[in-house]
Amino acid sequence: MALKTFARACEQIIKGVDTTLSKISHSQVEVMINMMLWARFRRILVIGVGRSGLIGRAFAMRLMHLDFDVYVMGETITPAIGKGDLIVAISGSGTTKLAVTAAAIGKEVGAKIIAITSHPNSDLGKIADHVVQIRGRTKIAKERDYFLRQLTGVHEPLAPLGTIFELSTMVFFDSLIAELIQRLGKSEGELRRKHATIE
Amino acid sequence: MALKTFARACEQIIKGVDTTLSKISHSQVEVMINMMLWARFRRILVIGVGRSGLIGRAFAMRLMHLDFDVYVMGETITPAIGKGDLIVAISGSGTTKLAVTAAAIGKEVGAKIIAITSHPNSDLGKIADHVVQIRGRTKIAKERDYFLRQLTGVHEPLAPLGTIFELSTMVFFDSLIAELIQRLGKSEGELRRKHATIE
Amino acid sequence: MALKTFARACEQIIKGVDTTLSKISHSQVEVMINMMLWARFRRILVIGVGRSGLIGRAFAMRLMHLDFDVYVMGETITPAIGKGDLIVAISGSGTTKLAVTAAAIGKEVGAKIIAITSHPNSDLGKIADHVVQIRGRTKIAKERDYFLRQLTGVHEPLAPLGTIFELSTMVFFDSLIAELIQRLGKSEGELRRKHATIE
Amino acid sequence: MALKTFARACEQIIKGVDTTLSKISHSQVEVMINMMLWARFRRILVIGVGRSGLIGRAFAMRLMHLDFDVYVMGETITPAIGKGDLIVAISGSGTTKLAVTAAAIGKEVGAKIIAITSHPNSDLGKIADHVVQIRGRTKIAKERDYFLRQLTGVHEPLAPLGTIFELSTMVFFDSLIAELIQRLGKSEGELRRKHATIE
């Protein structure tokens, strides 16, 4: 009987992530990839708050290994972003105020915005030039959550708050990296060479 | 044919994570839960470098929502750790030098160490009072990687470097949180109340 | 002749900081101390972006050593802030958008705001319940900068951007800590005991 | 009588910083500047823990504004450091274990090390290729502290722990930036253009 909740949570999370990933629109992904390939000789800024910010950083690390000129909002050496640069903003609800404010400033200075969110019609979704919708339960009001569950068919009472969104986004990003590696013709050996030496 | 690599990577990552999770020893998890429940009235310090550090922070956030007195190595308000406190150290290879050094200092001052690693016989594993082994390809030498793949049965050429370890560890932590919530009798409503207001 | 610029910059910065500190209103400081002593049994959240954020973190570390329940915006374990909690927001210009947005959210949920800024009439200054004005050149438009220099009597062409504000604020905070230690009757030995063990 | 401690602390800190700066060896600074100018087309990694780490980040921000390819240990996009790269490691006591470990790894892979420390004969000082000694009270044992005070002539009972070292180092770095700007012929306008847009 021990660890029943643990075991069921594992199962539900993986199933939830699997379902969520299967619903990602490939045409949305294709547009994002093209925007990122365009941005190879520009700066990319990753924006996210809380756990979404951590997922964004994990993505930024991989992009750095692929030689993208990538930065993370809030870190020390993040330079000016301007016209033609690319912002990848992550927010499950699409309403996280600091992320929305940051994306709006980025838009004002001429950067292109990709939003990764469950809610294309949210504030963040509306600001964005392009949205990749990743379903999954997010930190919005209970009623809307309930609605969302009906829409997505994902029931995950054991996955608290934004878990499914965050994990699905992380798998999404890592798969995107695999696609980018293939398109850019990078080998894993090259990745390894760029990996931080001091840790 | 577009996004073939992307689609296969998604599939392989999820399968890899699923396989990895199914191989986690429940008795190792049970011991970890008991150590964490003991540590409820002590400090918990999460140690990790690179992507393992990001996964550790995502775990720490949830523990904070559950009212654990938890800190992250390298952040601003991390206080002194001492006798009876608990360290959760994450390193796929178990050899990440800064993580091992930090864990060793923690051990010296009397803290208990839980290592989350693919390699129980690594430096980190040997220092630890308890190991939860999470398989998955890690940043070790190619030959050993190959070996590991044979042992785990996980083949993930599209999942670069430590991806499977990191994602599996994140699902593991979120499932552990579900189990802790159930054992502590916390409702999701309480979690929500503690969630950072300003973001 | 070598290091002429270096030597003059040292001199000008120290003189600039000295002048700036001498112009801080002691009654503004007294109010801030009282607000902080009130906040001893509440949460304190430190908000700042860029170099102001780093100064804020250095302050937060000391407050943590003094047993304040203090957090830094953007770090992992920052919990919900609410009614009766205290926010210390740092922005030389008082217009840093993310800091202003964060302070505004904090105000909405009922926290008290102390602004540390050169510009009491800025957006941040207007939101704040209390302002401690620390002069010094800030990142505002050139013309206003020029004006500011006339007002403050501080000429520091060798101190780029917000240097004088940031350094003055750091000395201000460290002096505030000395005053708090004295009022709370803490000895330096106690500080040392709380100092992070693992570094 | 109010704020007597505050006022005296301000005064003592500024006097302490002034004295400390006046004792910095200009030939040590000159060597550091030359090493940094050499490193302009290489990577620079800034290493520091606790408040020294914050000071290091403030320095890294300015270096980034000056177009140096600079990174901070522990942040997301820090890449591999190797032969010919430069490490600037900051530790008042020179014994901070994680900083020493990190510098040692850097040395192993062929990077040059500059140590900023009060103690040239410390572990960090011994590893370093070059030391800039910045006196000031540091977090070492009381007796040695006492000794140090005799040597430096700096008495700062109101400046807790490493305050004088940290503030002096910050003024030192900002003055170094002024010198670098002058040598590289950068105008402040260029700095401003590189300043982070989104904050």
Side-chain angles (χ1 to χ4, degrees):
Chain A
M1 275 315 80
L3 293 181
K4 223 171 84 181
T5 305
F6 171 79
R8 271 197 312 162
C10 278
E11 199 187 309
Q12 286 185 23
I13 290 173
I14 289 178
K15 221 179 102 191
V17 170
D18 197 14
T19 305
T20 301
L21 283 170
S22 73
K23 296 191 174 173
I24 292 178
S25 148
H26 278 211
S27 66
Q28 286 180 2
V29 177
E30 187 64 44
V31 171
M32 176 167 178
I33 286 173
N34 285 324
M35 289 175 81
M36 295 199 66
L37 291 174
W38 265 97
R40 272 184 79 204
F41 307 103
R42 312 285 328 193
R43 286 178 182 147
I44 298 181
L45 179 69
V46 177
I47 290 177
V49 173
R51 282 171 56 115
S52 290
L54 297 171
I55 300 304
R57 282 174 205 203
F59 183 43
M61 264 187 213
R62 287 281 185 258
L63 289 176
M64 180 264 289
H65 294 155
L66 286 174
D67 273 330
F68 282 87
D69 195 19
V70 63
Y71 300 93
V72 173
M73 190 184 74
E75 297 212 335
T76 301
I77 61 157
T78 304
I81 290 296
K83 200 167 157 45
D85 291 334
L86 182 64
I87 288 176
V88 176
I90 307 148
S91 167
S93 67
T95 58
T96 318
K97 220 160 186 173
L98 295 184
V100 174
T101 303
I105 301 173
K107 180 132 195 168
E108 238 173 72
V109 299
K112 294 280 173 210
I113 319 283
I114 296 175
I116 312 295
T117 180
S118 296
H119 300 280
N121 295 317
S122 61
D123 288 354
L124 182 62
K126 282 176 195 156
I127 284 173
D129 296 284
H130 179 61
V131 172
V132 175
Q133 184 179 14
I134 296 184
R135 287 171 173 86
R137 180 179 172 196
T138 58
K139 294 167 304 182
I140 46 173
K142 267 199 179 147
E143 311 75 56
R144 293 184 58 199
D145 255 359
Y146 178 75
F147 226 91
L148 187 65
R149 265 181 253 172
Q150 307 306 314
L151 289 170
T152 57
V154 180
H155 286 268
E156 13 63 303
L158 294 169
L161 305 165
T163 297
I164 297 297
F165 171 77
E166 293 145 11
L167 279 163
S168 300
T169 300
M170 195 156 170
V171 176
F172 164 68
F173 281 148
D174 278 332
S175 302
L176 207 65
I177 291 291
E179 181 78 30
L180 286 168
I181 289 174
Q182 190 256 315
R183 296 210 188 177
L184 295 168
K186 298 261 168 189
S187 74
E188 182 165 341
E190 286 175 77
L191 283 196
R192 207 183 296 267
R193 258 195 300 287
K194 192 101 193 268
H195 197 287
T197 338
I198 302 185
E199 38 168 73
Chain B
M1 274 320 78
L3 294 181
K4 222 171 85 183
T5 306
F6 172 79
R8 270 197 310 162
C10 278
E11 199 187 308
Q12 286 186 23
I13 290 172
I14 290 178
K15 219 177 102 191
V17 170
D18 197 14
T19 305
T20 302
L21 284 169
S22 73
K23 296 190 173 170
I24 293 177
S25 148
H26 278 212
S27 67
Q28 286 180 0
V29 178
E30 187 65 43
V31 171
M32 176 168 178
I33 286 173
N34 286 324
M35 289 175 81
M36 295 200 65
L37 291 174
W38 265 97
R40 273 184 76 205
F41 307 103
R42 311 287 325 195
R43 287 178 183 148
I44 298 181
L45 178 69
V46 177
I47 290 176
V49 173
R51 284 171 56 115
S52 291
L54 297 171
I55 300 305
R57 283 174 205 203
F59 183 43
M61 265 187 213
R62 287 280 185 261
L63 289 176
M64 181 264 288
H65 294 156
L66 286 174
D67 274 331
F68 281 88
D69 195 18
V70 63
Y71 300 93
V72 173
M73 189 184 74
E75 297 211 338
T76 302
I77 60 155
T78 304
I81 291 295
K83 200 166 157 47
D85 292 333
L86 181 65
I87 288 175
V88 177
I90 307 148
S91 167
S93 67
T95 59
T96 318
K97 220 160 187 174
L98 294 184
V100 174
T101 304
I105 301 174
K107 179 131 194 169
E108 238 173 72
V109 298
K112 293 280 174 209
I113 319 283
I114 297 175
I116 313 295
T117 180
S118 296
H119 300 281
N121 294 317
S122 61
D123 288 354
L124 182 62
K126 283 176 195 157
I127 285 172
D129 295 284
H130 179 60
V131 173
V132 175
Q133 184 179 14
I134 295 184
R135 288 172 174 86
R137 181 181 171 194
T138 58
K139 295 166 305 182
I140 47 173
K142 267 198 180 148
E143 312 75 58
R144 292 184 59 199
D145 256 358
Y146 179 74
F147 224 91
L148 187 64
R149 266 181 253 170
Q150 308 307 313
L151 288 170
T152 58
V154 180
H155 285 268
E156 11 65 306
L158 295 170
L161 306 165
T163 297
I164 297 296
F165 171 76
E166 293 146 11
L167 278 163
S168 300
T169 300
M170 194 155 170
V171 176
F172 164 68
F173 281 148
D174 278 331
S175 302
L176 206 65
I177 291 292
E179 181 78 30
L180 285 168
I181 289 173
Q182 190 255 315
R183 295 210 188 177
L184 295 168
K186 297 261 168 190
S187 74
E188 181 166 339
E190 286 176 79
L191 283 196
R192 208 184 296 269
R193 258 196 299 287
K194 192 102 193 267
H195 197 285
T197 337
I198 302 186
E199 41 167 69
Chain C
M1 276 317 80
L3 294 180
K4 223 172 83 182
T5 305
F6 171 80
R8 271 198 310 163
C10 279
E11 199 188 308
Q12 286 186 24
I13 290 172
I14 290 179
K15 219 178 102 191
V17 170
D18 196 15
T19 306
T20 301
L21 283 170
S22 73
K23 297 190 173 171
I24 293 177
S25 149
H26 278 211
S27 67
Q28 286 179 0
V29 178
E30 187 64 44
V31 172
M32 176 167 178
I33 286 173
N34 286 323
M35 289 175 80
M36 295 199 66
L37 291 174
W38 264 97
R40 272 184 77 203
F41 307 104
R42 310 287 325 193
R43 287 179 181 146
I44 298 181
L45 178 68
V46 177
I47 289 176
V49 173
R51 282 171 56 114
S52 290
L54 297 171
I55 300 304
R57 283 173 205 204
F59 183 42
M61 266 187 212
R62 288 281 185 259
L63 289 176
M64 181 264 289
H65 295 155
L66 285 175
D67 273 331
F68 282 87
D69 195 18
V70 63
Y71 300 93
V72 174
M73 190 184 74
E75 297 211 337
T76 301
I77 60 156
T78 304
I81 290 297
K83 201 167 157 45
D85 291 334
L86 181 66
I87 288 175
V88 178
I90 307 148
S91 166
S93 67
T95 59
T96 318
K97 221 161 185 172
L98 294 184
V100 174
T101 304
I105 301 173
K107 180 130 193 170
E108 238 173 72
V109 299
K112 293 280 173 209
I113 320 283
I114 297 176
I116 312 296
T117 180
S118 296
H119 300 280
N121 294 317
S122 61
D123 289 354
L124 182 62
K126 283 175 194 157
I127 285 172
D129 296 283
H130 178 61
V131 173
V132 176
Q133 184 179 15
I134 295 184
R135 289 172 173 85
R137 181 181 172 194
T138 58
K139 294 167 304 182
I140 48 174
K142 264 195 181 152
E143 311 76 56
R144 293 183 59 197
D145 255 357
Y146 179 74
F147 225 90
L148 188 65
R149 265 180 253 172
Q150 307 307 313
L151 289 171
T152 57
V154 179
H155 286 268
E156 13 64 304
L158 294 169
L161 305 165
T163 297
I164 297 296
F165 171 75
E166 293 144 11
L167 279 163
S168 300
T169 300
M170 195 154 170
V171 176
F172 164 68
F173 281 148
D174 278 332
S175 302
L176 207 64
I177 291 292
E179 181 77 31
L180 286 168
I181 289 173
Q182 190 255 316
R183 295 211 190 176
L184 295 168
K186 298 262 168 188
S187 74
E188 182 166 338
E190 286 176 77
L191 282 196
R192 207 183 296 267
R193 258 196 300 287
K194 192 101 193 270
H195 197 287
T197 339
I198 302 185
E199 39 167 73
Chain D
M1 275 318 80
L3 293 179
K4 222 171 86 181
T5 305
F6 171 79
R8 271 198 310 162
C10 278
E11 198 186 309
Q12 287 186 23
I13 289 172
I14 289 178
K15 220 178 102 190
V17 170
D18 197 15
T19 305
T20 301
L21 283 169
S22 74
K23 297 192 173 171
I24 292 178
S25 148
H26 278 212
S27 66
Q28 286 179 0
V29 178
E30 187 65 43
V31 172
M32 176 168 178
I33 285 173
N34 286 324
M35 289 174 82
M36 295 199 66
L37 291 173
W38 264 98
R40 271 184 79 205
F41 307 104
R42 312 286 327 194
R43 288 179 181 145
I44 297 180
L45 178 69
V46 177
I47 290 176
V49 174
R51 283 171 57 114
S52 291
L54 297 171
I55 299 304
R57 282 174 206 204
F59 183 41
M61 266 187 212
R62 287 280 185 262
L63 289 175
M64 181 263 290
H65 294 155
L66 285 174
D67 274 331
F68 282 88
D69 195 20
V70 63
Y71 300 93
V72 173
M73 190 183 75
E75 297 211 337
T76 301
I77 60 156
T78 304
I81 291 295
K83 199 166 158 46
D85 292 334
L86 181 64
I87 288 175
V88 177
I90 307 148
S91 166
S93 67
T95 60
T96 319
K97 221 160 186 174
L98 294 184
V100 173
T101 304
I105 301 173
K107 179 131 195 168
E108 239 175 72
V109 299
K112 293 281 173 207
I113 320 282
I114 296 176
I116 313 295
T117 179
S118 296
H119 299 280
N121 294 317
S122 61
D123 289 353
L124 182 62
K126 283 176 194 156
I127 285 173
D129 296 283
H130 179 60
V131 172
V132 176
Q133 183 179 16
I134 295 184
R135 287 172 174 84
R137 181 180 170 196
T138 58
K139 294 167 305 183
I140 47 174
K142 267 200 180 146
E143 311 76 56
R144 291 184 58 199
D145 256 358
Y146 178 76
F147 224 90
L148 187 64
R149 265 180 253 172
Q150 307 307 312
L151 289 170
T152 58
V154 180
H155 285 267
E156 13 65 302
L158 294 169
L161 306 164
T163 297
I164 296 296
F165 171 75
E166 293 145 11
L167 279 162
S168 301
T169 300
M170 196 157 169
V171 177
F172 164 68
F173 281 148
D174 279 331
S175 303
L176 206 65
I177 291 292
E179 181 79 30
L180 286 168
I181 289 174
Q182 189 256 316
R183 296 210 189 177
L184 294 169
K186 298 261 168 191
S187 74
E188 182 165 340
E190 287 176 78
L191 283 196
R192 208 183 295 268
R193 257 196 300 287
K194 192 100 194 268
H195 197 287
T197 339
I198 303 185
E199 40 167 72

